[in-house]
Amino acid sequence: AGQVWFVHDATGLVGGISVDGELGYWFRREVWGRGYAVEAAFAAIEAHFADCRAGDLPSGHLPGNDRSRRVLEKLGFRPNGIRIVASRALAQQVESQSYQLTRTDWVLRRDALSTAADCDTRSGQGASR
């Protein structure tokens, strides 16, 4: 129903990201910290807000998942409470920290992320949104 992208590197499939009512993503543990989640989410969020009718974009993370929290915060998402979600992996209902990204917050964050990526590229650090 939504849009799904798969992320590959030289080792093969490393993760996936989707926008289907909300932003969701999964990446192999070995690639955590390499910027794949932020870079893929950047593209997915751009696709979401390219539709001028698109509303705010929700997302979330399970308690204790600080890496996902940092990804969402880096992208400009703001926490907006706790919700109960169905976890397929855990086969049960679990609490999730809910986040929301508005179009206005995205425009501000996108510009900041783009500028940072440009600076990284010029300094030889590589583009890592």
Side-chain angles (χ1 to χ4, degrees), residues 4-5 23 30 48 54 57 62 71-72 81 100 112-113:
V4 178
W5 297 268
L23 177 72
E30 319 68 269
H48 172 77
L57 184 60
L62 298 181
V71 166
L72 294 173
Q100 198 81 10
L113 287 170

Side-chain angles (χ1 to χ4, degrees), residues 21-64:
E22 70 178 75
L23 177 72
Y25 49 89
W26 167 89
F27 287 87
R28 288 186 359 221
R29 188 176 300 266
E30 319 68 269
V31 301
W32 290 0
R34 294 189 190 171
Y36 289 127
V38 172
E39 188 169 350
F42 186 99
I45 295 166
E46 280 288 279
H48 172 77
F49 285 124
D51 179 350
C52 62
R53 299 167 299 168
D56 294 350
L57 184 60
S59 192
H61 67 82
L62 298 181

Side-chain angles (χ1 to χ4, degrees), residues 1 3 35 43-44 49-50 67 69 79 105 115-116 119 121 128-129:
Q3 294 181 300
F49 285 124
R67 288 182 180 264
R69 176 186 53 79
D105 285 344
T115 301
C119 290
T121 301
S128 177
R129 292 189 207 273

Side-chain angles (χ1 to χ4, degrees), residues 1 10 15 19 24 47 49-50 54 69-71 73 80 85 91 93 103 129:
V19 177
F49 285 124
R69 176 186 53 79
R70 286 192 298 269
V71 166
E73 289 173 351
N80 69 344
V85 298
Q93 301 281 332
R103 182 181 298 274
R129 292 189 207 273

